[in-house]
Amino acid sequence: MIALPRPSRRQKQGLLALTFVLLMAFPLVGGSQADIDIIANACAYAALALGLNIVVGFAGLLDLGYAAFFAIGAYSYGVLNSFQLQPHWSPFWQPFASLGLVAKLGIGAAATVHFTVSFWLMLPVSAAIAALFGVAFGAPTLRLKGDYLAIVTLGFGEIVPIVARNWPALTNGAAGLNGIGPPKLFGWSFGVDATPYYYVGIALVAFLLLVAWRLKASRIGRAWMAIREDAVAAQAMGIHTSRLKLIAFATGAAFAGVTGAFYIAKLQTATPDMFDLPVSIMVLVMIVLGGLGSVWGAIFGAVALEILQAWLLPALNGTTQALGQAVGSGFLRTLDLTSASELIFGIILVVMMLYRRDGLVPAARSGVTLAFEQQDAPISHGGSNMPILGLSHHLTPLAVAAPLAVAVPAVPAILSVRDLSVGFGGIRALKSLSLDVPEGGIVAVIGPNGSGKSTLFNAITGLVTPQSGRVDFAGRALIGRRPDQILALGVARTFQNIRLFPHLSVIENVLIGQHAHLRAGPFGILCNTPRTRAEERRAREFAAEILAIFGNRLVPRLEQNVSDLSYANRRRVEIARALAARPRLLLLDEPTAGMNPAESHELAGQIAAFRTLGLTILIIEHKLDVVTLLSDRVIVLDQGERLAEGTAAAVRADPAVIAAYIGRRPADV
Amino acid sequence: MSPTHILLQQIVNGLSLGAIYALLALGFTLVYGILELINFAHFSVFVVGAMAGLLVLQAFGLQGQSVILHGAPLVLVLLAALVAAMLACGLLGVLIERYTLRPLRAVTGPMAMITTIGVSYILVNLVLLLTRAQSLNYPDPLPAMTATFGGVTVSGKAVMIWIVAAILMIALDRFVRRTRLGQAMRAVAQDQEAARMMGVDVDRVILVTFFVASALAGAAGMIFGLYYNFADYNIGYTAGLMAFTAAVLGGIGNIPGAMLGGVIIGLIDTLGSQYIAAKWADVIVFSILIGTLVFRPAGLLGALAPNRS
Amino acid sequence: MRGSYSFPIGPERDGGVAMSYRLDRAARCGEDAGRPRVDALIGRRPGMKEISQMHLSRRHMLGGLGAAAGFMALGGAALAAGKTYRIGVTLPLTGADAEPAHLILNGILLAIDQANKAGALPGITLEAMVLNNATTTAGEYDPAQAATNARKLVGDPGVLVNIGPEMSGSGKAMAPILSMGMLATITPSSTSPSITDPAFAAEFDPGGKPIYFRTVTTDAYQGPDMANFYAETLRVPSSYILDDSGAYGVGLADAFEKQAKAKGITVLGRDRLDPRADDYTAVVTKIEASGAASLYFGGGMQAAVKLVKQCHDIVPKIVKGGGDGILSPEMVTAAGFPAAEGWYVTSASPHLAGTPALQKWSDLYTRTYGVQPSDYSVTAYDATLVAIAAIQSVTKAGKPLTAANVRDAIQASKVEGLQGTIVFDRNGDLAQHMVTVFQFAYDPKYRATDFPHQYRYVSVAPQN
């Protein structure tokens, strides 16, 4: 792989402006009608790829029926601006006629209605209809696992063209719609001239590019990518996964719908076989080539495939055939490379997946390298020494501001677990467990492997459904709530095996932690309203402040992918992500695992400092020195039951605990 | 024909179709059970099976419907073609797993599935280029035999399909239940990590699974060609989708479920064509696919899906 | 997974450049190295034959008409220097339909070459501007590419007339653009009636004057005439009708059904096959159960290969027939005998067998291009003769040589072609429309897969 020098922001803007000027000028400086038409078609490709990229690239949902939404958008416009439907004229239609949506054909009793809904109106309407189908189809199916979704969308993609074929009253069946009206602008019809379609196509792609770009940089885009990277962690970080998947699905469908209207207005005819499976696969190949999740990659893929098919293959074809003639090889002479294009699509898919999953124009930044000074800088420990600007301020609305000293048992429990039983198949991971966590306290849970510690966390955060028992947090029952709802109540967690979003940067991971507290809606994001911008800026500042807790361990690495971080730093990012959710109760699952003693103590100090911010902490930890240092109280689990409870010292001395640890030492390893 | 005769005749038609779908569905279910992967390459392995069988039959000098064999030569020729198709496809399946899927096993997301789509495109288009996209007249050495039972016609070829499918399914069941490898397969399907810790060579088990699944697809392709006297590069698409629906309907990951699902989809296909309209048959089947996944993702018999949290 | 679906967006960057060769080069193209050969490895994909095209129905006996003999001198005579004008050629030269498209292309090039050699237009050299209507994306003809090509033709003032397209799907996309540019096209094979139907003039002919001419009959005659043949010649009392979901197949079956009912044939059922599905036994069993005396199938070979075989197993005795979509070599190579035995098929042109002059033309074609001509090589040759004659008449009348004047001359044509005298009605369709019936019948003198020898002429289908 060759690492190209990354253009600066200014260079990028210059390049973009230049491209724009060239595109605008092309028809004016003597581009032929045919060339203009080709670029207009290419715009439709790119628009489709941008939409599928949102579904597959951003949200990680493999949609194999994408062409169905293209068809729905196309037929929506085609039916509402052609002679296909001609109901009898009645006064009912008069108001529509005065709005210009229909026209009266003929006179007297034989008069019929001719639908003439404007192209400009139908652009958003086609998008909306396609999105509506996306929602109607996605709502029941998106809760399925990703691989099931692929097959369900494949089925949907099959059904739509079959319905179009077999419903002649609406679609004119297999013969297709004829005479679809061209767009009109101030009374001037686009007709068959390619130039106006060219400009509409460029504008469409520019608009969709902007939409895709803004979405990607927003809380919605981050949530999609979080779902793609790790759906469970995304849900645990407060993302309503089914709703966001639905938004992605509908957005992709809307892109396809608007492209359908544009494409069909330009072609003025539509048949069902224009929308079969290879269309969906073809667009998939484009975004795989460009890079899943990469906005520019989608456009690159569309253009690259076009060049491959329109220019490269025919050129190669001539060469090989001439070569065959020259060397007398009948095989080469008769080889038609252009019919091998699908073979090439297949090869692209396999090779890209095996060797370059990020595509040729990857979305992820290649990692910001640190300057030597930064690498060599002495470690600053942050934590309570660092000014945590605003953090307590931000926490105030949710957390109790008054810092508590050593927990007093008399303080009411913020978390209470009663008779909690969790089982998997025949194994009972938790057996009637009860425990309390006092507000502002730090409680440690220890126990041998398999004693049910992580299962306890999963039950509290809604990732597993217990057979029986209650979990109450601040007076609210948690069982039966979704993980994202539980997070919104103020319970955040980390995972034993670190579930960060590996292909996202440090700051993005922490921003995702704030998802539940950000409010920007689709409208605000698309228009980039001052409110959205301000919210985004505050969110970034807050994320930076939280990361500053860990001193200069993470601050210089804000833009690095977390997969490039050291193990200890990943642990820190995960804790920062949980803190970003502004929890009242923080569940830490072995936060110091994989750290050396010095790092462990550093982290323990930082965790202890959280308490001064009003956080309550429930921590699973193996390192008894850390436990001793941190916790007010220790609960020992063994085989799903509470074995002992008390201060660290008391628990250590408990013969039952010693027996459990030492007696089962071999199994413990 | 009386309405009863029509119904019975369509059931006979549906059973033959269902037997082919069931064989193909088993492959989806085996691979899904172990890897939780929808293997689109399975569609094209079926095509390769039909083509491999065709080559063997042609090697025996069979062209079109011109040569009819009887007795031992017939059985030997068919067996040779069947075994060759199964071996060729089994090996192809092993290669696909080893070189395109194993490197992606640790990668999350739809990557592996996209790869199988790519593999499928490659194989189908290679067949397309090699056959010059022509429909092929599949040799048929079977003497034309039909028997009529109270007005319902059953052809010799249909009986052959049922027998071959039944033998293969029983053999698979025995293999999975009785042999060490089969038990290892079930263990891996239940919990890959636990199986690995118990000393099961997981990589080998996955390879064997692909071999078995692909060999079954090869057998399905070969008997498909014989039954319809027809093959082209495109036969895998509809058959594959129907078989996948069958696997889902029966409960993906569930071996008896795949067999049951295959037969049910075969019957729905023919009865739908008879009593509703052929043009809606596909829509009915795909609606069942979507409906099953939405309302009963475990399928009719319930998935033996691995329990991973 | 299937590989055979059409994808609509196919921006071929320039379908024309690679294919556009000068006529004098084309004259030698039988032995020309650079030219893609007709028998090139062709990814013919059955899924794509739906739209109103007809398949290669290579006629084994091509008779002849004297008209062509006039410019038959093939030699190295230097062309008169002078102005060069172009005749557009739009065909799907790659993908599923490449093979028949190249047979058509040869017919066109042959006619242009002969005209140049014979000096039919003093001081003028004609050149073929060959544009590919297919894209690799679509894998076959692509309406979007056809529209691009139409724009290219209209934008070039040197183009006087176009020959093509092969498919009505492309024709629908091209017609409005050509109409606005008042550039006439003559199609040798696109048979969808709606393009030239005055009822759809607003869609396909916004320019007002017909620009879409054909040297073939439309499906408006093929289906009904076959229904007449069923009713009057074969006297079948009842029929079951199938189509293959494609525009061509559905249109043909609809037209057959309407006329069959009018002729008193009881239509016992109508079903639609998915050409990608493989098992039609359920539908064929349904036909058997209905007791229909005959079957009519509108569609192409992808469905037909399987249907023919399964009909042979289940309903071997009833009358079976279809359109020119199944007058194809695959009937004998893939469906094969005995399954294909007895199927009736139609061709949307007169039967040209027997005359020595056409035989001579056929021999010349075969010698020049190394392959036998198809029916549509003949109609393409005729279309080109009409175009050249129209250019001739414009120059003779002393009018400026523009596309609009050539169009007017084509409308007024009366040209002796290989298939007889070609005259157009006011919509641009052939004034004379004749549908011929053939039947597949195994002739043991030839190999069973020797397509040209394994079907026979039956009669002209009754018209009314």
Side-chain angles (χ1 to χ4, degrees), chain B residues 232-261:
Chain B
D232 68 15
Y233 68 93
N234 220 358
I235 54 175
Y237 185 73
T238 304
L241 271 182
M242 296 290 168
F244 183 80
T245 307
V248 169
L249 182 65
I252 193 153
N254 183 323
I255 291 174
M259 302 181 198
L260 178 70

Side-chain angles (χ1 to χ4, degrees), chain A residues 84-103:
Chain A
Q84 179 58 30
L85 295 183
Q86 294 194 22
H88 280 292
W89 179 267
S90 67
F92 168 78
W93 296 101
Q94 194 54 51
F96 297 101
S98 40
L99 287 171
L101 300 177
V102 301

Side-chain angles (χ1 to χ4, degrees), chain A residues 246-307:
Chain A
L246 199 58
I247 295 173
F249 206 62
T251 310
F255 276 42
V258 70
T259 312
F262 164 70
Y263 186 68
I264 248 49
K266 186 172 146 302
L267 205 55
Q268 291 159 29
T269 171
T271 58
D273 26 290
M274 285 158 59
F275 306 101
D276 273 324
L277 176 77
V279 182
S280 304
I281 302 287
M282 167 90 189
V283 182
L284 180 69
V285 175
M286 289 173 189
I287 61 172
V288 164
L289 186 66
L292 292 175
S294 161
V295 174
W296 288 109
I299 297 195
F300 169 82
V303 173
L305 247 58
E306 184 197 328
I307 290 174

Side-chain angles (χ1 to χ4, degrees), chain B residues 19 23 156-170 223:
Chain B
L23 280 181
K157 281 196 279 191
V159 175
M160 176 202 73
I161 285 193
W162 300 344
I163 292 173
V164 172
I167 291 173
L168 287 174
M169 288 188 220
I170 291 168
I223 62 173

Side-chain angles (χ1 to χ4, degrees), chain A residues 269-512:
Chain A
T269 171
T271 58
D273 26 290
M274 285 158 59
F275 306 101
D276 273 324
L277 176 77
V279 182
S280 304
I281 302 287
M282 167 90 189
V283 182
L284 180 69
V285 175
M286 289 173 189
I287 61 172
V288 164
L289 186 66
L292 292 175
S294 161
V295 174
W296 288 109
I299 297 195
F300 169 82
V303 173
L305 247 58
E306 184 197 328
I307 290 174
L308 170 82
Q309 296 186 78
W311 178 72
L312 207 57
L313 280 184
L316 280 176
N317 212 27
T319 313
T320 50
Q321 285 175 358
L323 185 72
Q325 189 75 23
V327 302
S329 156
F331 174 76
L332 282 181
R333 206 183 58 220
T334 57
L335 188 67
D336 183 6
L337 285 174
T338 49
S339 51
S341 61
E342 284 200 338
L343 181 65
I344 294 170
F345 291 174
I347 293 170
I348 290 176
L349 288 180
V350 173
V351 169
M352 296 304 290
M353 285 297 115
L354 288 179
Y355 302 109
R356 184 119 193 195
R357 279 187 289 284
D358 289 338
L360 298 179
V361 185
R365 67 230 87 218
S366 56
V368 185
T369 38
L370 296 184
F372 282 119
E373 309 86 76
Q374 286 173 313
Q375 287 178 11
D376 288 350
I379 302 299
S380 71
H381 296 292
S384 49
N385 300 329
M386 293 290 289
I388 308 171
L389 293 171
L391 179 54
S392 54
H393 165 74
H394 282 284
L395 286 170
T396 329
L398 283 172
V400 179
L404 291 163
V406 180
V408 184
V411 171
I414 189 165
L415 179 79
S416 91
V417 175
R418 288 288 169 275
D419 300 322
L420 189 67
S421 293
V422 179
F424 305 109
I427 306 153
R428 296 190 61 199
L430 288 180
K431 298 169 197 157
S432 258
L433 181 71
S434 297
L435 59 88
D436 285 317
V437 178
E439 178 140 28
I442 297 184
V443 175
V445 180
I446 65 170
N449 280 339
S451 58
K453 304 184 298 290
S454 290
T455 304
L456 171 67
F457 273 26
N458 287 343
I460 294 171
T461 54
L463 294 180
V464 299
T465 311
Q467 268 74 36
S468 62
R470 282 186 67 81
V471 177
D472 290 304
F473 172 72
R476 291 198 184 86
L478 294 187
I479 305 236
R481 287 180 204 263
R482 290 192 314 269
D484 53 296
Q485 292 171 321
I486 291 170
L487 179 117
L489 289 177
V491 182
R493 67 171 293 177
T494 66
F495 293 88
Q496 183 186 358
N497 47 352
I498 308 185
R499 298 186 83 152
L500 285 168
F501 308 115
H503 295 97
L504 301 181
S505 67
V506 170
I507 185 107
E508 280 169 327
N509 269 277
V510 178
L511 284 170
I512 288 164

